[in-house]
Amino acid sequence: TSITSAKIQVNGVHLHYQQTGEGSHAVLLLPGMLGSGQTDFGPQLKSMNKQLFTVVAWDPRGYGKSIPPSRDFPPDFFERDAKDAVDLMQALKFKKFSLLGWSDGGITALIAAAKYPNLIHKLVVWGANASVTQEDVRIYNGIRDVSKWSEKVRKPLEELYGHKYFAETCAAWVDGISHFAENSDGNICQQLLPDIKCPTFIIHGEKDPLVPQAHAEYIHKHIKGSRLLLMPEGKHNLHLRFAKDFNKEVENFLR
């Protein structure tokens, strides 16, 4: 089946999303920093089972085609994204749905699952963290200058945003997420993890250069009954690099 694109007004902004499949199980894909459905979830939109699932991939406000507004990073930007994501799915008339969150989208998904338990069916996160350490801040500053990114990762984002918006938003993100390191224990959403009651699947690439494995282990330990899968060759973008294996694991979990 084809992939449709549309915009819908939610919380005062026009959010862009893509949708495919006609299954009874609705699934929302939540992209990472600077990401969009288009750039972050090609293999999932293309290959996830269209009979079982209705797949929605959204562009958070200020990202992808959900501009305007320009992206900013107030202290509650993850909570804002979580509310936008849930309200988007409700605006699309999905009563209950599962969340697949990557990186920043994983943090957003954790918050949404904790705060809106009646709406979330199942949860899958990968490359996510519930706190920011000084080591994390050092890693983030290492990606601040987008001209040093590999061309493969940089090019689609430059095409999507233009160089100026891409570079400025990345630097603003580094500043925004680094602020969490000033909290006690670098907390982003640690206190919410015990509130997550839905079945939860955490996937982590053992070669992820951006998110140390301890983050995945912490999330696993604090979400009761959650499952952790380590992919020995997986990096941060394991769902793209190992799309076939990833999709299979996730579909089996969601069934």
Side-chain angles (χ1 to χ4, degrees), residues 1-6 16-29 37-38 41-58 88-89 92 94 97-98 100 247 251 254:
T1 43
S2 61
I3 298 169
T4 58
S5 292
H16 177 262
Y17 67 95
Q18 292 168 286
Q19 186 172 329
T20 186
E22 58 267 284
S24 59
H25 189 155
V27 176
L28 177 66
L29 308 176
Q38 189 69 42
F41 294 117
Q44 283 69 45
L45 285 163
K46 185 173 167 231
S47 304
M48 276 186 75
N49 188 315
K50 312 281 168 104
Q51 278 70 51
L52 288 180
F53 304 108
T54 297
V55 180
V56 178
W58 80 309
L88 165 76
M89 291 300 276
L92 296 176
F94 295 110
F97 45 92
S98 292
L100 267 65
N247 288 359
E251 287 187 4
L254 291 175

Side-chain angles (χ1 to χ4, degrees), residues 13-238:
V13 294
H14 288 89
L15 295 175
H16 177 262
Y17 67 95
Q18 292 168 286
Q19 186 172 329
T20 186
E22 58 267 284
S24 59
H25 189 155
V27 176
L28 177 66
L29 308 176
L30 298 94
M33 174 263 275
L34 278 161
S36 65
Q38 189 69 42
T39 53
D40 287 12
F41 294 117
Q44 283 69 45
L45 285 163
K46 185 173 167 231
S47 304
M48 276 186 75
N49 188 315
K50 312 281 168 104
Q51 278 70 51
L52 288 180
F53 304 108
T54 297
V55 180
V56 178
W58 80 309
D59 300 357
R61 62 170 74 200
Y63 285 164
K65 293 179 181 167
S66 295
I67 302 172
S70 292
R71 182 71 183 185
D72 62 348
F73 300 95
D76 67 342
F77 74 91
F78 285 118
E79 280 83 3
R80 182 180 67 183
D81 283 349
K83 183 167 174 25
D84 282 350
V86 164
D87 290 351
L88 165 76
M89 291 300 276
Q90 294 202 288
L92 296 176
K93 304 283 186 272
F94 295 110
K95 288 188 175 60
K96 205 163 182 176
F97 45 92
S98 292
L99 301 174
L100 267 65
W102 176 40
S103 199
D104 267 21
I107 301 172
T108 302
L110 291 168
I111 293 169
K115 288 195 160 182
Y116 309 97
N118 299 336
L119 301 174
I120 310 306
H121 184 42
K122 292 186 177 183
L123 172 66
V124 183
V125 295
W126 65 105
N129 46 298
S131 63
V132 175
T133 67
Q134 290 305 324
E135 164 70 358
D136 295 327
V137 172
R138 192 186 61 72
I139 293 170
Y140 302 149
N141 277 298
I143 62 166
R144 181 188 288 272
D145 180 356
V146 296
S147 67
K148 293 182 177 148
W149 289 27
S150 75
E151 191 182 359
K152 195 174 152 214
V153 179
R154 191 180 71 231
K155 208 168 168 222
L157 292 169
E158 274 189 339
E159 283 169 6
L160 180 61
Y161 293 117
H163 178 77
K164 185 172 185 283
Y165 188 90
F166 172 41
E168 287 175 358
T169 307
C170 180
W173 174 83
V174 172
D175 293 337
I177 196 151
S178 296
H179 278 310
F180 290 104
E182 295 160 18
N183 293 345
S184 166
D185 291 335
N187 180 44
I188 303 174
C189 61
Q190 291 171 318
Q191 77 289 357
L192 292 176
L193 299 181
D195 296 341
I196 297 174
K197 304 291 187 241
C198 66
T200 300
F201 187 20
I202 302 140
I203 305 173
H204 193 77
E206 291 189 37
K207 294 185 175 174
D208 189 332
L210 290 175
V211 180
Q213 191 171 311
H215 285 300
E217 289 166 353
Y218 182 94
I219 294 167
H220 172 47
K221 187 180 164 191
H222 290 87
I223 299 178
K224 202 174 171 208
S226 63
R227 190 178 143 211
L228 174 63
L229 172 69
L230 298 175
M231 293 177 71
E233 293 302 312
K235 292 187 182 174
H236 196 58
N237 65 345
L238 56 85

